[in-house]
Amino acid sequence: MRRDAFQAIADPTRREIINLLTKETKTLNEIAAHFEISRPAVSKHVKILNECGLLNIQKDGRRRHCFIEHEPLREVGEWIQQYERFWNNKLDNLGDYLNKKNS
Amino acid sequence: MSTTDHKKQISINRFYPYDIEDVWSAITDPEALSEWLMPTDFRLEPNHQFQFKTKPSGGFDGIVNCQIKSIQRPNFLSYSWNANTFKEPTTVEWHLKTIEDGTVVRLEHYGFKGFGGLIGRMILGYGWKRKVLKKLSNHLAK
């Protein structure tokens, strides 16, 4: 079966790993420290997330830095666009409200 | 507080042909806000915490949590603006200025930082399980 994002988030441990990494980049050891399960088990989940394209691993000597790339940045742009539309609508409403109140 | 060090991510100017006090009251009166913005328990008091409520959509639960930051009647009002989909609260600022026959309003909204990522948003959302199951059943049907 092909690995994809939906398979990645179907598991609670993997969802928790993604949540951890959306806040900041962590090493594999730091991730493992968050869980009761063994380091190899965490490592396996990280590997699956990597294969699903949700997580990148950078080797630095013996350390493995894990991070989620580009997705949050892209989303900031989407949110700003969405809120720009939202406020333009609401400022129109404000104009209508003032017209009505003062008519 | 200087705001020049913030990158103003949203800045919209509007002119309304009404007195600054009328506009100020429309952006600070809970009944008025509920009518043109969203239902709210807003109160014009320093540090007051309040909410705006709207329909949930996607991962957003429909509740905006806010707290008054600064009041300078009738020219300036700011509050924090936080949603369950945000990593950190954002800031909304209202700048009002009288010009000859009305008021110019400048709305600024900034502080949008990395969010939970698309997947993070799905996890926060109530809909993620349904989405996974739908995807899974599509997968199995192939």
Side-chain angles (χ1 to χ4, degrees):
Chain A
M1 190 171 136
R2 194 178 63 88
R3 297 211 190 278
D4 65 20
F6 290 91
Q7 187 194 354
I9 62 166
D11 178 88
T13 303
R14 292 199 287 273
R15 290 202 296 276
E16 187 54 33
I17 292 172
I18 293 169
N19 270 342
L20 279 175
L21 293 177
T22 55
K23 294 185 185 84
E24 57 181 322
T25 298
K26 289 191 188 299
T27 64
L28 192 52
N29 282 333
E30 287 168 334
I31 296 172
H34 274 270
F35 294 93
E36 302 275 331
I37 56 173
S38 69
R39 200 197 118 117
V42 170
S43 179
K44 195 184 128 205
H45 286 302
V46 165
K47 189 164 171 261
I48 291 171
L49 286 169
N50 181 238
E51 287 167 1
C52 295
L54 292 179
L55 181 154
N56 284 293
I57 303 170
Q58 223 166 50
K59 291 178 188 176
D60 167 24
R62 295 178 63 179
R63 278 198 290 265
R64 301 282 178 274
H65 295 281
C66 304
F67 56 96
I68 294 176
E69 223 180 8
H70 71 255
E71 193 66 66
L73 276 178
R74 205 192 64 191
E75 230 189 325
V76 169
E78 283 173 15
W79 275 93
I80 290 173
Q81 263 187 357
Q82 208 171 311
Y83 263 102
E84 211 150 28
R85 275 200 304 274
F86 169 83
W87 284 117
N88 271 303
N89 273 332
K90 295 303 182 186
L91 291 171
D92 288 348
N93 289 353
L94 174 58
D96 293 343
Y97 172 83
L98 288 166
N99 288 340
K100 201 180 81 184
K101 204 170 167 258
N102 290 279
S103 63
Chain B
M1 186 190 80
S2 163
T3 51
T4 48
D5 46 17
H6 292 287
K7 194 179 160 207
K8 292 296 159 48
Q9 290 165 320
I10 295 175
S11 181
I12 307 170
N13 281 288
R14 287 292 179 99
F15 171 76
Y16 300 104
Y18 298 104
D19 192 77
I20 193 166
E21 284 294 338
D22 290 335
V23 179
W24 176 260
S25 134
I27 67 164
T28 56
D29 173 60
E31 265 181 52
L33 285 167
S34 298
E35 191 169 332
W36 68 265
L37 186 53
M38 286 184 279
T40 182
D41 56 347
F42 177 99
R43 277 207 316 270
L44 190 60
E45 285 168 18
N47 301 315
H48 176 59
Q49 291 184 20
F50 59 100
Q51 295 185 327
F52 287 107
K53 284 183 180 166
T54 184
K55 267 188 272 178
S57 73
F60 174 50
D61 65 6
I63 296 170
V64 183
N65 285 294
C66 302
Q67 182 169 20
I68 305 267
K69 288 177 129 173
S70 174
I71 306 168
Q72 289 159 45
R73 182 190 182 107
N75 298 103
F76 181 78
L77 170 69
S78 68
Y79 39 82
S80 61
W81 179 284
N82 199 11
N84 67 323
T85 44
F86 290 2
K87 199 166 142 187
E88 286 175 40
T90 57
T91 300
V92 170
E93 288 182 3
W94 295 90
H95 301 256
L96 276 58
K97 198 175 156 192
T98 298
I99 64 160
E100 263 175 58
D101 48 359
T103 305
V104 172
V105 171
R106 189 170 81 249
L107 170 100
E108 290 179 346
H109 193 169
Y110 59 87
F112 295 94
K113 298 199 177 119
F115 292 83
L118 178 66
I119 301 301
R121 202 164 63 189
M122 288 170 60
I123 295 162
L124 285 170
Y126 303 119
W128 79 266
K129 264 185 188 163
R130 203 179 57 234
K131 281 177 192 161
V132 170
L133 290 175
K134 187 159 175 265
K135 178 92 179 181
L136 201 64
S137 64
N138 288 346
H139 209 97
L140 294 172
K142 273 178 203 166

